[in-house]
Amino acid sequence: MTTPQPPHRPHRPAAGEPRTPGTTTPEPAPPPPDRPTPERTARAALSRIIEPGDPRTGRWLRELGPVALWHALTGEGPPPTGASRTALDGLRLRAARADPTADLATAAALGARFLCPGDDEWPGQLDDLGDTRPLGLWVRGNANLRLWALRSVALVGARACTEYGAHLAATLGAGLADRGWTVVSGAAYGIDGAAHRGTLAAGGATLAVLACGIDRAYPAGHTELIDRIVQQGLIVGELPPGAHPTRSRFIQRNRVIAALTRGTVVIEAALRSGSLVTARRAQSLGRLTMGVPGPVTSALSAGVHELLRGEAMVVTSADEVVEHAGAIGDLAPEPRGPVLARDLLEPATARVLEAIPPRGRAALTDIARESGLAPDTTHSKLHELCTLGYVRRSGTHWEFVRRGAPERSRRGGT
């Protein structure tokens, strides 16, 4: 997968810098997120009115723009094309209590900001969501969201995870942190929390995407963890301050995790796990999907194994995750078993060693015949093996040296 590129911004001549003849004046740069504008205020209001990931209102936003849509939903402008009376009435009830100025002020008091598409910090890969792209993102933390997201991986999985799953999530998080990758998850119990903690413990970058307002710690048991993420990483959400989580908001949260990252790793998941929704959404967006295998008897790994039967790739370490999600040349070390001393023997020497019976003794001629080598060569190799401590001479015969943990050879196997 190619690395997501920041949105193109044309060169804007500085004050007094001559402009190239025959070129048009570029559009002005978007204002900083902390400066309210009609579009930013309208998007903040719409985040209070419209549920995340709604493609119908996303189409209206694309056709009308945020300010006109805001006016349409407050009754100050004509209704969107194709809007039913029932849908419009429901949205206008929400619009009546929307107060974007207060929401922006609450965010500012938290040290947070509201990002809109087109801002310098906006992650361009979210545009792949089309009409389900977030209206905007409420963000807490000092890091640059766009830069962190360029080199990020999602670690997701079961809430009721096993010790095996929690250990792997923390280990993968720490390993990715050591390699300079951002770990993205949802701050939930189980795999999410373990992934965040492992990353934080390694001093790495981690980002939590919430299904509620960024001023709320959900789940409440992760209040301390979320506070640590705010200090060391980033908290991101589509919903305005004070908004509470719902089942549908959790599901829609997953699409942001999938779109924001280079790839999604599922560590433990049952067949109906929400983390599989994240993985399948990542696949539909052309992102990488990876899975960590577990015991075939574990119901919490059944969803991962089903994912691996499709397009997902098996990973067992941070190196393997980086090999798939990183740039060309980011290869994981080739896995190897332990190297035994006899593995380093020359082929002819190894053949002579294999020709000696595992028990008892053998004469030189018998060993030469069994190894297929000339007697002189066999004699030379036997003395070499004797020097290395593998065999010893007993009169005119040769035998293995018995050790505490001997490396015995059996014909037909090792």
Side-chain angles (χ1 to χ4, degrees):
M1 186 183 69
T2 57
T3 302
Q5 298 296 319
H8 172 69
R9 302 199 180 281
H11 172 68
R12 295 177 173 84
E17 180 181 347
R19 300 180 183 273
T20 304
T23 60
T24 58
T25 302
E27 294 294 327
D34 58 352
R35 185 186 305 170
T37 64
E39 178 177 340
R40 193 175 304 280
T41 302
R43 285 185 177 272
L46 292 172
S47 73
R48 175 72 69 180
I49 301 167
I50 298 172
E51 282 297 308
D54 182 3
R56 175 193 55 183
T57 50
R59 175 175 58 84
W60 294 344
L61 180 65
R62 172 169 49 83
E63 294 172 349
L64 300 177
V67 176
L69 180 57
W70 164 233
H71 289 161
L73 298 183
T74 57
E76 299 176 5
T81 303
S84 68
R85 173 54 58 185
T86 301
L88 199 58
D89 287 346
L91 290 170
R92 283 179 173 170
L93 281 175
R94 285 189 167 190
R97 61 182 177 84
D99 188 349
T101 301
D103 287 338
L104 290 169
T106 299
L110 292 170
R113 55 199 180 277
F114 181 63
L115 300 181
C116 298
D119 287 341
D120 288 337
E121 198 182 345
W122 181 262
Q125 58 267 42
L126 291 179
D127 300 342
D128 294 345
L129 291 170
D131 286 343
T132 65
R133 179 182 70 175
L135 299 164
L137 288 175
W138 303 84
V139 181
R140 289 180 70 186
N142 297 322
N144 185 293
L145 174 60
R146 182 181 65 83
L147 295 181
W148 272 27
L150 289 176
R151 190 176 164 89
S152 64
V153 171
L155 300 183
V156 298
R159 286 176 170 81
C161 68
T162 65
E163 291 184 8
Y164 163 82
H167 170 73
L168 283 175
T171 301
L172 286 176
L176 289 167
D178 288 341
R179 289 154 184 79
W181 283 73
T182 302
V183 172
V184 179
S185 201
Y189 290 131
I191 296 298
D192 288 18
H196 288 306
R197 290 189 180 95
T199 308
L200 290 169
T206 190
L207 187 158
V209 182
L210 303 184
C212 58
I214 57 171
D215 59 335
R216 300 188 58 169
Y218 189 91
H222 275 179
T223 299
E224 182 180 352
L225 173 62
I226 291 173
D227 287 343
R228 286 181 61 199
I229 296 173
V230 171
Q231 295 301 318
Q232 191 171 321
L234 288 171
I235 295 288
V236 176
E238 297 180 74
L239 295 160
H244 64 276
T246 64
R247 178 178 175 82
S248 63
R249 288 172 176 177
F250 279 117
I251 294 173
Q252 293 302 326
R253 180 271 307 273
N254 293 342
R255 87 191 194 287
V256 176
I257 294 176
L260 196 62
T261 54
R262 299 281 301 274
T264 295
V265 182
V266 184
I267 297 170
E268 274 189 329
L271 290 173
R272 288 177 55 85
S273 173
S275 56
L276 297 182
V277 175
T278 309
R280 293 183 181 120
R281 194 58 182 266
Q283 288 178 341
S284 70
L285 292 168
R287 308 294 197 263
L288 294 167
T289 51
M290 294 158 273
V292 179
V296 296
T297 55
S298 172
L300 281 176
S301 290
V304 181
H305 297 159
E306 187 64 24
L307 196 67
L308 293 173
R309 285 164 55 86
E311 299 178 4
M313 294 168 286
V314 174
V315 290
T316 60
S317 67
D319 284 328
E320 293 176 359
V321 173
V322 172
E323 179 177 315
H324 292 306
I328 295 175
D330 289 338
L331 301 178
E334 182 179 352
R336 294 180 179 274
V339 178
L340 303 178
R342 67 186 304 160
D343 296 334
L344 304 177
L345 297 176
E346 295 179 352
T349 307
R351 286 172 63 182
V352 171
L353 184 62
E354 291 285 337
I356 300 173
R359 283 175 169 73
R361 299 176 296 170
L364 172 62
T365 53
D366 294 332
I367 298 172
R369 182 172 55 252
E370 188 68 27
S371 67
L373 298 174
D376 290 345
T377 303
T378 303
H379 188 261
S380 173
K381 297 302 180 184
L382 284 169
H383 278 284
E384 180 181 332
L385 290 168
C386 184
T387 302
L388 294 172
Y390 286 99
V391 301
R392 65 186 173 190
R393 186 171 183 173
S394 179
T396 59
H397 291 71
W398 297 82
E399 63 181 352
F400 275 111
V401 173
R402 304 302 173 189
R403 302 175 181 174
E407 294 182 31
R408 292 192 176 91
S409 170
R410 293 180 298 172
R411 294 185 183 90
T414 56

